[in-house]
């Protein structure tokens, strides 16, 4: 219980606690990228730090039930994720990070996110197999509360659309479902 309270107050997890719910990698600068969620909760708070290292990125398919090398139980949990709170300090969201998180309702993009990558989705049926480029939120049909911190200099929400601030024309990244 004390560790949970410490996490809520500081946003930091011990390495031992983090390994129970998160797969992550460290870059040369000591920053961490969340590569996958393997916990059981459906309302998630991504840690600000794991041990002494800052979490700065979300990898491709990190929350998606379509991720590779995950168990069927993990797939089921990922399909039921309802909300994700990303920490300030997060700089990048990888391609297809949330693809097919069908129950995801709420996600807040902090002011520090500077890049949301596109991803690829493969669709296969009895007639054909094809692949196409998607945004990080493709298949998130329950996503009704996508917000961007007003201090974010890279992205903004306008009229239900997530767009970039730098492009001369409004750059569409994703649209909330009707």
């Amino acid at each position: 219980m004390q560790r949970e309270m410490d996490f809520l107050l500081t946003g930091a997890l011990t390495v031992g606690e983090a390994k129970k719910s998160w797969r992550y990698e460290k870059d040369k600068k000591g920053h961490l990228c969340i590569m996958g969620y393997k916990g059981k909760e459906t309302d998630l708070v991504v840690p600000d730090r794991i041990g002494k290292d800052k979490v700065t990125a979300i990898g491709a398919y990190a929350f998606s039930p379509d991720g590779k090398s995950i168990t069927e139980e993990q797939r089921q949990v990922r399909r039921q994720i309802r909300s994700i709170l990303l920490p300030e300090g997060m700089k990048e969201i990888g391609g297809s990070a949330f693809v097919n998180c069908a129950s995801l309702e709420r996600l807040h993009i902090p002011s520090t996110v500077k890049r949301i990558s596109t991803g690829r989705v493969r669709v296969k049926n009895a007639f054909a197999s094809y692949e196409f480029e998607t945004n990080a939120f493709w298949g998130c049909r329950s996503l009704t509360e996508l917000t961007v911190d007003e201090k974010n200099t890279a992205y903004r929400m306008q009229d239900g659309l997530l767009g970039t601030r730098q492009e001369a024309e409004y750059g569409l990244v994703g649209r909330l479902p009707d």
Side-chain angles (χ1 to χ4, degrees):
M1 184 66 160
Q2 181 61 44
R3 284 188 210 141
E4 290 174 10
M5 291 301 293
D6 289 345
F7 172 64
L8 291 173
L9 292 172
T10 66
L13 277 180
T14 65
V15 172
E17 288 296 313
K19 286 183 178 182
K20 294 176 185 176
S21 297
W22 306 98
R23 274 187 325 113
Y24 55 91
E25 292 179 356
K26 188 188 300 192
D27 68 15
K28 293 176 185 173
K29 294 180 181 179
H31 299 150
L32 298 179
C33 178
I34 298 290
M35 301 303 293
Y37 176 66
K38 57 184 184 176
K40 296 185 182 344
E41 299 297 318
T42 58
D43 292 307
L44 309 180
V45 177
V46 175
D48 172 68
R49 294 180 178 278
I50 297 177
K52 295 180 181 177
D53 299 312
K54 191 141 184 67
V55 175
T56 60
I58 300 293
Y61 295 96
F63 297 96
S64 173
D66 298 345
K68 294 182 179 14
S69 304
I70 62 174
T71 66
E72 188 54 37
E73 181 182 359
Q74 289 168 335
R75 259 181 237 297
Q76 289 301 324
V77 170
R78 288 180 180 196
R79 285 185 186 112
Q80 296 170 26
I81 293 172
R82 294 183 317 196
S83 66
I84 301 172
L85 179 61
L86 301 176
E88 280 297 321
M90 180 72 53
K91 295 178 181 173
E92 182 175 351
I93 297 172
S96 304
F98 311 104
V99 163
N100 287 324
C101 287
S103 298
L104 182 62
E105 298 170 2
R106 294 177 306 282
L107 177 72
H108 178 72
I109 298 171
S111 67
T112 51
V113 169
K114 301 300 176 218
R115 183 167 187 230
I116 301 174
S117 299
T118 58
R120 303 212 47 89
V121 171
R122 174 171 281 154
V123 176
K124 193 174 185 178
N125 60 35
F127 305 105
S129 175
Y130 55 95
E131 193 172 288
F132 58 93
E133 191 171 286
T134 66
N135 64 51
F137 312 104
W138 188 82
C140 296
R141 60 182 175 258
S142 298
L143 187 59
T144 56
E145 203 175 312
L146 177 62
T147 58
V148 178
D149 189 287
E150 64 185 33
K151 294 177 187 163
N152 188 302
T153 59
Y155 295 96
R156 66 180 176 166
M157 289 297 295
Q158 183 175 331
D159 301 326
L161 299 174
L162 173 63
T164 62
R165 291 187 186 266
Q166 281 75 23
E167 295 176 349
E169 299 236 347
Y170 192 72
L172 179 65
V173 176
R175 182 178 188 93
L176 292 178
D178 292 330

